[in-house]
């Protein structure tokens, strides 16, 4: 089963947080605040934080910018993963992904089922990789952000987590770009 190997040193990662909303301001961004609080409490670095409207091209553009920034290892977005017409964050993420982490959405659904039952079916949370950067799209509720961080991301972004974690393979995510 999974566990933390205390013989290893903790390795902080640099995480950008993107809130997708047509209506929220920085003072009203509870979901982004939940993520920032948890990222910092875990010992990681909040490398950037932005709020963008539900516009696919703007979201994809910000994701691409952050994926090409050597000071950012992970991007977590919140909002725009539902089923309504303006919910296009998942599509923007997929515009940028080189590889999708299909199991992320599955595991998020399993976690959500324990909290909100069959309403979990309405989330399209997703994860992927582009240019050596992890990207995760979470629902826009503070509860969903807490669940995703506490049950999945906190462990997978901890280098000490066994049997495996995202951090240990981070240096190899872009190896295909370095081959000649």
């Amino acid at each position: 089963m999974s566990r933390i190997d205390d013989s290893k040193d903790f390795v902080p990662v640099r995480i950008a947080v993107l809130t997708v909303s047509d209506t929220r301001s920085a003072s009203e961004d509870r979901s982004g605040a939940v993520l920032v609080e948890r990222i910092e409490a875990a010992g990681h670095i909040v490398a950037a934080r932005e709020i963008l409207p539900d516009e696919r091209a703007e979201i994809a553009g910000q994701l691409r910018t952050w994926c090409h920034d050597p000071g950012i290892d992970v991007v977590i977005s919140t909002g725009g993963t539902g089923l309504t017409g303006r919910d296009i964050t998942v599509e923007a993420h997929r515009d940028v992904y080189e590889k999708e982490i299909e199991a992320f959405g599955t595991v998020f659904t399993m976690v959500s089922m324990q909290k909100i039952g069959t309403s979990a079916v309405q989330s399209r949370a997703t994860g992927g990789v582009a240019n050596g950067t992890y990207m995760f799209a979470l629902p826009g509720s503070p509860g969903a952000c807490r669940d995703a961080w506490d049950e999945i991301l906190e462990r997978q972004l901890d280098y000490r987590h066994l049997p495996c974690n995202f951090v240990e393979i981070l240096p190899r995510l872009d190896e295909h770009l370095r081959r000649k």
Side-chain angles (χ1 to χ4, degrees):
M1 202 68 187
S2 70
R3 65 181 177 86
I4 296 295
D5 180 352
D6 290 322
S7 71
K8 292 182 173 184
D9 289 333
F10 178 79
V11 176
V13 294
R14 299 159 299 188
I15 304 173
V17 176
L18 174 63
T19 298
V20 177
S21 174
D22 287 331
T23 59
R24 289 188 187 138
S25 66
S27 64
E28 301 164 328
D29 180 16
R30 293 184 6 230
S31 296
V34 163
L35 289 169
V36 166
E37 172 193 320
R38 280 168 159 67
I39 290 165
E40 290 175 342
H44 299 296
I45 300 157
V46 176
R49 184 176 178 189
E50 295 288 335
I51 298 176
L52 289 179
D54 294 275
E55 297 294 337
R56 185 172 176 170
E58 285 186 56
I59 297 163
Q62 184 63 69
L63 294 172
R64 283 187 187 96
T65 297
W66 281 343
C67 285
H68 285 90
D69 183 335
I72 295 174
D73 304 308
V74 178
V75 176
I76 304 174
S77 69
T78 174
T81 64
L83 302 172
T84 70
R86 296 289 292 157
D87 290 329
I88 45 70
T89 302
V90 173
E91 289 73 19
H93 270 253
R94 289 182 174 147
D95 288 345
V96 179
Y97 290 166
E98 294 166 1
K99 294 182 179 180
E100 189 162 357
I101 306 170
E102 289 90 354
F104 179 80
T106 302
V107 172
F108 181 78
T109 300
M110 292 167 60
V111 167
S112 296
M113 283 286 296
Q114 296 172 13
K115 310 284 177 143
I116 61 172
T118 60
S119 294
V121 75
Q122 293 186 32
S123 170
R124 299 184 305 135
T126 185
V129 176
N131 203 52
T133 304
Y134 289 109
M135 296 186 294
F136 302 97
L138 308 178
S141 77
C145 290
R146 273 190 297 275
D147 294 344
W149 181 266
D150 295 352
E151 303 295 330
I152 307 168
L153 293 174
E154 182 176 26
R155 294 178 184 117
Q156 282 298 301
L157 295 176
D158 190 331
Y159 179 72
R160 304 166 302 166
H161 183 265
L162 297 176
C164 58
N165 59 76
F166 288 142
V167 180
E168 66 189 354
I169 60 172
L170 186 61
R172 295 180 38 223
L173 292 181
D174 64 353
E175 66 190 1
H176 66 289
L177 301 173
R178 296 183 303 237
R179 290 188 199 145
K180 295 280 179 174

